[in-house]
Amino acid sequence: MRKTALVTGATRGIGRVVALALGRAGFAVIVTGRTMAPNTGRHDGMGGVAVPGSVEETVAAIEAAGGTAHGLRLDLSDRASIDAAVVEALARFGRIDLLVNNGIYQGPSVMQKILDVDLADAERATMGNFINQFHLSRLVLRAMISQGGGRMVFMSTLSSAEPTKGNNGLFYTAPKAAFNRIPDYINFEHGADGISAFLIEPRFTMTDTLRAAWGDAASDVGLGTQARDPEETARTVVWLATHEDAPRFAGAEMINAPDFFQDYQITPPD
């Protein structure tokens, strides 16, 4: 039976690369995001600057490589779209074996200083990056329990667990810090149901989104840190999604995805 993966934020950046890698690994990939058609993407946190990618393009790339994919609209600030996406995914494929919680809400507050944040946008950021991510996870969790198990990957950021360095606003890191607790509770309460949830972070990664939004200044976002490649994180996600030994890494510890194989002395897949 072909396994099914639902990936949020799969229109561009790390999410797109992860979706493509899962397609190559044999998953039927449910590609979700807000941007359905090419040349319509906008970065709300950067004044609406145009960004590449779309659900249609990611689906087409997976299919062109011989994989199976289906695109659905899922907006993390719109709970009805979350409900509809999960219902349709289950209706089409019958199960969800992997959830990759990669997408984030990127309104203006995620980069603003605390005195500049509009309270309404702070609420949207908290809703999109914690409450609605919890809602999505719980919907999929119920399906996974019914089918006898599943795995979840939660994409976080190191800045949510470290003292601030000023490269992200409070309403990027604070909702992410709350988000970090979701997989720990899922493992604690439902590990016995065959569920494994992993908390990972990609370090500073150069993506198509960063290049489009920041131009020549994209490398400065990492504050001097060497940029990693999204493929490094995607390779780790595929291993956690497929390897029989992966559940031992489920828990509260934040996994450094690009260095996962080196850190744990694991032979990486070819």
Side-chain angles (χ1 to χ4, degrees):
M1 183 191 312
R2 182 189 293 269
K3 291 189 174 182
T4 300
L6 190 157
V7 184
T8 66
T11 54
R12 59 187 67 89
I14 294 172
R16 181 179 189 274
V17 175
V18 166
L20 293 174
L22 289 168
R24 293 193 300 270
F27 281 84
V29 185
I30 304 158
V31 176
T32 74
R34 291 189 311 161
T35 308
M36 297 302 294
N39 303 314
T40 60
R42 296 290 182 270
H43 193 305
D44 294 340
M46 294 289 294
V49 63
V51 288
S54 66
V55 168
E56 290 180 7
E57 289 168 290
T58 303
V59 168
I62 293 171
E63 293 178 338
T68 298
H70 180 64
L72 294 173
R73 180 181 176 275
L74 191 156
D75 182 346
L76 289 169
S77 65
D78 176 7
R79 197 171 298 163
S81 76
I82 297 171
D83 295 344
V86 172
V87 167
E88 183 170 342
L90 291 171
R92 175 173 286 266
F93 294 103
R95 58 191 296 117
I96 299 173
D97 299 280
L98 174 69
L99 171 65
V100 181
N101 262 323
N102 164 79
I104 61 171
Y105 167 82
Q106 296 196 84
S109 66
V110 300
M111 296 297 292
Q112 290 175 332
K113 296 181 179 179
I114 57 175
L115 291 180
D116 298 326
V117 173
D118 179 79
L119 193 58
D121 193 57
E123 291 172 339
R124 284 190 289 271
T126 304
M127 189 68 67
N129 290 336
F130 174 53
I131 299 296
N132 284 349
Q133 304 254 13
F134 164 73
H135 176 64
L136 169 62
S137 302
R138 190 164 62 169
L139 289 176
V140 175
L141 175 64
R142 289 184 175 126
M144 287 181 173
I145 292 170
S146 295
Q147 70 196 25
R151 298 183 185 183
M152 299 184 180
V153 173
F154 291 75
M155 187 78 68
S156 190
T157 173
L158 194 60
S159 61
S160 66
E162 291 187 332
T164 185
K165 298 176 182 176
N167 54 335
N168 290 300
L170 174 64
F171 280 92
Y172 178 75
T173 57
K176 274 291 190 182
F179 167 88
N180 293 349
R181 302 302 299 168
I182 301 174
D184 184 32
Y185 274 85
I186 288 174
N187 288 316
F188 182 79
E189 296 178 4
H190 294 285
D193 296 316
I195 313 298
S196 295
F198 309 93
L199 179 65
I200 73 171
E201 56 88 13
R203 300 290 160 127
F204 170 57
T205 299
M206 185 56 65
T207 65
D208 50 358
T209 307
L210 272 180
R211 292 191 185 96
W214 291 87
D216 293 340
S219 59
D220 296 337
V221 176
L223 300 178
T225 302
Q226 179 183 358
R228 308 304 294 262
D229 191 294
E231 290 287 354
E232 296 177 276
T233 290
R235 184 169 61 169
T236 297
V237 171
V238 171
W239 192 92
L240 294 172
T242 58
H243 201 280
E244 62 182 9
D245 197 35
R248 73 185 179 94
F249 296 100
E253 181 179 356
M254 188 180 291
I255 296 169
N256 172 354
D259 296 320
F260 172 74
F261 299 102
Q262 177 182 316
D263 288 348
Y264 293 99
Q265 299 297 295
I266 295 171
T267 302
D270 294 332

